[in-house]
Amino acid sequence: MSRYGAMYGPDLTFLGVPACDLADPASFADADVVVVGAPFDGGTSHRPGTRFGPSAIRQACYLPHDGSRPSLALRVDALRDLRVYDAGDVEMFSGDIERSLSALESAVHTVASSGAIPVVLGGDHSIALPDATGVARHHGLGRVSLVHFDAHADTGDVEFGSLHGHGQPMRRLIESGAVRGDRFLQIGLRGYWPGPSVLSWMAEQRMRSYEMTELVARGLDECLTEAFGIAVDECEGVFLSVDVDVVDPGMAPGTGTPEPGGLTSRQLLDAVRRCCYELPVVGVDVVEVAPPYDHADITAYLGNRVVLEALSAIARRRRDAAGGLPWNPKQPLLDAR
């Protein structure tokens, strides 16, 4: 199938990076990263609207859409230091969840098989199942760990009579063998779901979940360091899945299932930077941006910056691996690097 473009709104690429067509391998043969839109909210259990997330994330910036974004913190320009392309949206009809998730898995696997890192813009969190599965099919089932930022565990079993939905992808990933339960790291959980039976299942899988109370008591950095040590043990790479509702709804109101008491936007951006600088990240998705509830585009801007932090950290990691001076966050801004 040729490039679909955008399901909703104009066919704009992420901040002006070049377009590519997944049906034409030559159009992204040299890619380091390929952005894929997943405009799907057929798995939502509460408020829909995330189908408009990919378009909002692509556009949410006050700077020119010129394919350039120099990072003050990391001293790289990820959109130029990396070869970043945008494949447009996968056709995902919200009335047919199985067909839509299958199409997305095929697209993500195509990107991963080319040697590029897929960065998927959601969409509700049901897309994590095809995203991580598509990557694991290339790198090896059970050989990719998953770092998951979210207010919710997303480990439900059957919801509304369906095995698929945004509250269930993590269970499906573990049951399928795509990701090992003991290499599943969840950060930011809080609130009043899931119940005891689901928590018991999670414990049986040896999942590691850092609830907000633990993050506050121990500190986010300490918990991340511990999680990173688990993530790289016996795994070839790490998939990073970021649900924007991990952030307190006062800073990220545009989401379908807001849960008070989360991370700050600053904490999330710093954590994503650490993940992508310190870990061998092989895939990323950013999900649950729901523009209909987003006051002043606050959440769309956050989603955009999550993507930029991830790409900038990947670019800096590659530069340092090639022999550059390691990044030092304590070095003054105007010192040359």
Side-chain angles (χ1 to χ4, degrees):
M1 177 179 176
S2 61
R3 177 184 166 87
Y4 189 87
M7 283 192 69
Y8 306 103
D11 185 13
L12 301 175
T13 65
F14 181 78
L15 299 179
V17 302
C20 70
D21 183 347
L22 295 185
D24 178 11
S27 69
F28 59 100
D30 63 341
D32 296 308
V33 173
V34 175
V35 176
V36 177
F40 183 78
D41 56 14
T44 54
S45 59
H46 188 42
R47 305 188 302 191
T50 55
R51 68 181 66 186
F52 306 113
S55 179
I57 294 170
R58 285 184 172 108
Q59 298 180 63
C61 191
Y62 52 84
L63 295 168
H65 286 213
D66 57 359
S68 174
R69 284 300 181 275
S71 167
L72 289 178
L74 291 165
R75 315 299 167 82
V76 293
D77 185 340
L79 302 186
R80 293 189 174 178
D81 295 345
L82 300 173
R83 292 179 292 273
V84 182
Y85 295 86
D86 191 327
D89 290 346
V90 175
E91 184 179 10
M92 301 185 74
F93 171 51
S94 289
D96 190 340
I97 191 168
E98 293 188 358
R99 186 187 77 180
S100 295
L101 297 187
S102 177
L104 180 58
E105 181 182 326
S106 177
V108 172
H109 182 252
T110 296
V111 174
S113 298
S114 76
I117 297 173
V119 174
V120 185
L121 311 180
D124 71 50
H125 218 159
S126 60
I127 71 167
L129 172 60
D131 293 345
T133 301
V135 169
R137 281 173 53 197
H138 173 65
H139 292 279
L141 299 180
R143 303 302 298 172
V144 174
S145 61
L146 203 144
V147 176
H148 170 208
F149 287 86
D150 205 328
H152 311 98
D154 293 352
T155 47
D157 190 3
V158 178
E159 304 288 342
F160 304 110
S162 176
L163 291 170
H164 299 294
H166 74 165
Q168 300 138 277
M170 307 316 172
R171 182 184 285 247
R172 302 286 93 87
L173 279 168
I174 293 171
E175 288 177 340
S176 72
V179 179
R180 290 167 46 175
D182 61 353
R183 295 298 180 271
F184 219 111
L185 297 311
Q186 301 186 304
I187 298 162
L189 304 190
R190 59 189 186 275
Y192 301 90
W193 185 89
S197 63
V198 175
L199 292 175
S200 295
W201 180 88
M202 292 166 62
E204 292 170 1
Q205 312 312 310
R206 298 172 60 197
M207 298 177 71
R208 182 63 170 95
S209 301
Y210 295 86
E211 196 263 344
M212 279 301 302
T213 302
E214 181 177 359
L215 295 181
V216 170
R218 296 179 58 194
L220 177 59
D221 277 342
E222 180 180 326
C223 292
L224 287 177
T225 298
E226 180 179 282
F228 290 1
I230 299 170
V232 297
D233 183 31
E234 300 181 0
C235 284
E236 307 302 321
V238 177
F239 189 93
L240 173 63
S241 186
V242 180
D243 185 329
V244 293
D245 73 22
V246 75
V247 171
D248 190 273
M251 294 185 177
T255 194
T257 50
E259 183 64 54
L263 299 177
T264 66
S265 55
R266 181 69 264 161
Q267 286 176 309
L268 176 61
L269 293 174
D270 286 345
V272 168
R273 182 189 298 166
R274 275 198 65 187
C275 286
C276 293
Y277 182 71
E278 298 180 25
L279 297 174
V281 170
V282 293
V284 178
D285 64 24
V286 181
V287 303
E288 297 290 352
V289 173
Y293 320 108
D294 198 14
H295 313 305
D297 300 328
I298 295 169
T299 316
Y301 271 84
L302 176 60
N304 180 281
R305 273 17 186 192
V306 167
V307 175
L308 281 176
E309 286 291 341
L311 296 181
S312 297
I314 291 168
R316 183 69 200 220
R317 175 183 172 91
R318 292 189 178 188
R319 180 204 283 186
D320 292 353
L325 292 175
W327 174 57
N328 177 9
K330 297 180 180 179
Q331 192 166 3
L333 173 65
L334 297 182
D335 284 1
R337 296 201 180 189

